[in-house]
Amino acid sequence: MAELDNLKKASAHAGPLPPKGSIPNISVDNLIFGLENGSLKVLLIRHNIDGKRKPWALPGGWIHFDEDLRDAAKRILHLHTGVEGVYLEQLKTFGKVDRLPFGRVATVAYYALVSTEKCPLIANDDRPDAMWCDIHDVPNLAYDHNEILDFGLKFLRHKIRHEPIGFNLLPEKFTLLELQDLYEAILDCTLDKPNFRRKMLKMKLLESCNEKQTGVAHRAANLYRFDAEAFEKLSSQGFSFEF
Amino acid sequence: MAELDNLKKASAHAGPLPPKGSIPNISVDNLIFGLENGSLKVLLIRHNIDGKRKPWALPGGWIHFDEDLRDAAKRILHLHTGVEGVYLEQLKTFGKVDRLPFGRVATVAYYALVSTEKCPLIANDDRPDAMWCDIHDVPNLAYDHNEILDFGLKFLRHKIRHEPIGFNLLPEKFTLLELQDLYEAILDCTLDKPNFRRKMLKMKLLESCNEKQTGVAHRAANLYRFDAEAFEKLSSQGFSFEF
DNA sequence: TCAAAAGTGTTTGTTATACACCCATGT
DNA sequence: ACATGGGTGTATAACAAACACTTTTGA
């Protein structure tokens, strides 16, 4: 029951619930991206209230009076995925007058990148339905959530070319081909393997784990991890990631 | 008097004024950049209340209940500069619990790029002080406004390398050297003239006005304007601006 | 031994960089 | 005539794209 209360409080989009202890007129909505079977997915939830199914929506919620904006986004992310410490950035604030049928609410959208394997979806009878939805098959969402998603997707496509954030969608250790597949999935293109390799390695942002893949039916690839330290160092010297 | 009322309503940072007809807990703050004598400037204002001078601050205000977020930002921009139709984009929303000493207010920061020559500052006894402040000489600002400015400045430096927005800081017609000076001012570096020329012209985003500079004590340079149409066209073909 | 993916090498054309140079104009 | 900035040319090095090739491994 306490959990259900939490959920109601956490969801701005179950309806015009009075947000006790929360700031009126502002909500948070999270765009949670994941990669599954080489496809880009987004986390959608759907409430079942009095046996009635609401439309699919982005996971969102209200902001407590004593809670930083970013902390509210983290809390909502954790509530639906159980993960912490993942990539989470503010996307944009959506504030059209009539974006919700009840009252005036501006929503601050955040986007998160998670590796789906770390991320078992939390859904049962007391909680809303949840699914990883392929980015190409997104249904009509509640309110202006399609608009938020479209904006976020464009933003991600641009961002991934200019900042090394793709790694957050992969497990800690990954092969170069997994990384390439990720770029191909997000940018919706095909890339040349040898050239992709060279380009990535030349940047010196990947650190070899000196470890091989296991359980593959072909030659095992070397595993790499993203070297955040090296990136900080290079950035401070004026390096700018470009893909 | 009506003007003064407007100003009070428009300024979230004159103090904890009750925002009648406005959304509580959300404000808008504008980061208005301009270029003057080859230096990057930001517009700051300062209120004089009961003969007491408040600290310098970013121009900001409340959002009316029947006004889109973006329209509020436009209104505040126009109030302080008189300009309309200039480059204005959302920067980020700042929502720390204690960012203001009175009450809980999240502020949506916008940034604008204007050519200062179009932009006589509106300031007199009834209005707040206003100044174009060199980016290197910014004083301590009210509340978290230094944080907002720092974030905006970093953002601008990054953005100008990846999107053709610099033109908005120049008059409609400009020379290649003016453009180069702009890049040097914002990126804080020096650039090679012939190479800058070629790089810019090769992108096909500049349209020659077939007109020369006037009133200069040396050979008059050709004037160019930014060709927004060409940019749209190229963008839709996958072109990505890089400087 | 074959399929599947790892990983290397090489060729070719394009682009960036650095810098030398000439041109036009007002004083 | 000379200072000032406008504008062009060019040699070199670095890089990107395309693609042929060898290597490793499990089935």
Side-chain angles (χ1 to χ4, degrees), chain A:
Chain A
M1 272 305 103
E3 286 229 320
L4 186 55
D5 281 352
N6 268 338
L7 257 185
K8 276 189 181 163
K9 265 191 261 171
S11 178
H13 306 299
L17 295 173
K20 283 176 199 165
S22 298
I23 309 176
N25 306 304
I26 318 180
S27 65
V28 165
D29 283 299
N30 280 354
L31 214 40
I32 305 173
F33 289 112
L35 200 73
E36 212 173 38
N37 308 321
S39 297
L40 187 63
K41 311 262 178 170
V42 65
L43 182 57
L44 299 180
I45 64 160
R46 171 160 73 173
H47 288 275
N48 301 300
I49 292 172
D50 303 332
K52 280 191 185 170
R53 287 183 151 181
K54 300 274 177 180
W56 289 103
L58 301 175
W62 303 100
I63 302 144
H64 302 161
F65 269 107
D66 59 353
E67 179 184 50
D68 287 351
L69 200 50
R70 188 182 168 78
D71 290 335
K74 276 189 204 169
R75 173 172 52 80
I76 292 159
L77 173 64
H78 183 255
L79 190 70
H80 289 278
T81 62
V83 297
E84 284 177 0
V86 303
Y87 184 86
L88 175 74
E89 291 295 333
Q90 200 183 106
L91 177 65
K92 190 181 166 182
T93 298
F94 293 80
K96 292 231 178 88
V97 170
D98 55 1
R99 56 175 293 277
L100 297 191
F102 56 92
R104 178 75 198 270
V105 179
T107 195
V108 185
Y110 279 78
Y111 68 104
L113 303 181
V114 303
S115 59
T116 51
E117 58 171 35
K118 273 196 236 162
C119 201
L121 289 190
I122 295 169
N124 58 47
D125 289 351
D126 276 348
R127 290 182 172 277
D129 283 346
M131 70 162 167
W132 284 112
C133 178
D134 192 290
I135 217 66
H136 300 98
D137 307 327
V138 173
N140 280 333
L141 303 179
Y143 316 122
D144 59 351
H145 287 193
N146 286 101
E147 189 190 335
I148 296 175
L149 177 55
D150 289 349
F151 184 88
L153 199 53
K154 264 189 209 157
F155 190 87
L156 178 63
R157 289 204 169 114
H158 190 264
K159 185 104 173 170
I160 205 168
R161 296 186 49 185
H162 300 295
E163 286 183 47
I165 59 167
F167 312 102
N168 295 291
L169 288 162
L170 296 175
E172 195 207 331
K173 300 174 180 184
F174 50 85
T175 69
L176 284 171
L177 196 62
E178 282 167 351
L179 187 59
Q180 181 178 343
D181 286 345
L182 181 157
Y183 271 82
E184 291 183 346
I186 294 179
L187 297 178
D188 207 14
C189 64
T190 62
L191 300 165
D192 181 84
K193 183 169 51 131
N195 294 335
F196 181 87
R197 260 184 102 69
R198 262 188 293 260
K199 197 163 179 173
M200 276 298 165
L201 292 175
K202 189 167 47 80
M203 290 190 207
K204 306 277 183 194
L205 295 179
L206 297 185
E207 182 188 13
S208 170
C209 304
N210 297 313
E211 247 178 274
K212 300 278 174 199
Q213 255 179 330
T214 54
V216 285
H218 54 77
R219 178 174 173 182
N222 193 13
L223 292 171
Y224 293 88
R225 70 166 64 83
F226 174 62
D227 188 343
E229 216 172 289
F231 174 61
E232 293 307 324
K233 209 169 181 178
L234 287 168
S235 290
S236 69
Q237 291 164 16
F239 165 84
S240 176
F241 180 91
E242 301 292 338
F243 184 77

Side-chain angles (χ1 to χ4, degrees), chain B residues 60-88:
Chain B
W62 304 99
I63 302 144
H64 303 160
F65 269 108
D66 59 353
E67 180 183 49
D68 287 350
L69 200 51
R70 189 182 168 77
D71 289 336
K74 276 190 204 169
R75 173 171 51 80
I76 291 160
L77 173 64
H78 182 254
L79 190 70
H80 289 277
T81 62
V83 296
E84 282 176 2
V86 302
Y87 185 86
L88 175 74

Side-chain angles (χ1 to χ4, degrees), chain B residues 12-220:
Chain B
H13 305 299
L17 296 173
K20 283 176 197 163
S22 299
I23 309 177
N25 305 306
I26 319 181
S27 66
V28 166
D29 283 300
N30 281 354
L31 213 41
I32 305 173
F33 289 111
L35 199 74
E36 213 172 39
N37 306 324
S39 296
L40 186 63
K41 311 263 178 169
V42 65
L43 182 57
L44 299 179
I45 65 162
R46 171 160 73 172
H47 290 275
N48 301 298
I49 292 174
D50 303 333
K52 282 189 184 169
R53 285 183 152 180
K54 300 276 177 177
W56 289 103
L58 301 175
W62 304 99
I63 302 144
H64 303 160
F65 269 108
D66 59 353
E67 180 183 49
D68 287 350
L69 200 51
R70 189 182 168 77
D71 289 336
K74 276 190 204 169
R75 173 171 51 80
I76 291 160
L77 173 64
H78 182 254
L79 190 70
H80 289 277
T81 62
V83 296
E84 282 176 2
V86 302
Y87 185 86
L88 175 74
E89 291 294 334
Q90 199 183 106
L91 178 64
K92 190 180 165 181
T93 298
F94 293 80
K96 292 230 179 88
V97 170
D98 56 1
R99 54 177 294 278
L100 298 192
F102 54 92
R104 179 74 198 269
V105 180
T107 195
V108 186
Y110 279 77
Y111 68 105
L113 303 180
V114 304
S115 59
T116 51
E117 58 171 35
K118 274 196 236 162
C119 202
L121 290 190
I122 295 170
N124 59 47
D125 288 352
D126 277 349
R127 292 183 170 277
D129 283 346
M131 70 161 166
W132 284 112
C133 178
D134 192 291
I135 217 66
H136 300 99
D137 307 327
V138 173
N140 279 334
L141 302 179
Y143 315 122
D144 58 352
H145 287 194
N146 286 101
E147 188 189 335
I148 296 175
L149 177 55
D150 288 349
F151 183 89
L153 198 53
K154 265 190 208 155
F155 190 86
L156 177 64
R157 289 205 169 113
H158 189 264
K159 185 105 172 168
I160 205 168
R161 298 186 47 185
H162 301 295
E163 284 182 48
I165 59 167
F167 311 102
N168 296 291
L169 287 162
L170 297 174
E172 195 207 331
K173 301 173 181 184
F174 50 85
T175 69
L176 284 171
L177 196 63
E178 282 168 351
L179 188 59
Q180 181 179 340
D181 286 344
L182 181 157
Y183 271 83
E184 291 182 346
I186 294 180
L187 298 179
D188 207 12
C189 64
T190 61
L191 301 166
D192 181 84
K193 183 169 49 133
N195 294 335
F196 181 87
R197 262 183 101 68
R198 264 188 292 261
K199 197 162 178 175
M200 276 297 166
L201 292 175
K202 190 167 47 79
M203 291 191 206
K204 305 278 182 193
L205 295 179
L206 296 185
E207 183 188 14
S208 171
C209 304
N210 296 314
E211 248 178 275
K212 301 277 175 200
Q213 255 179 330
T214 55
V216 284
H218 53 78
R219 177 174 173 182

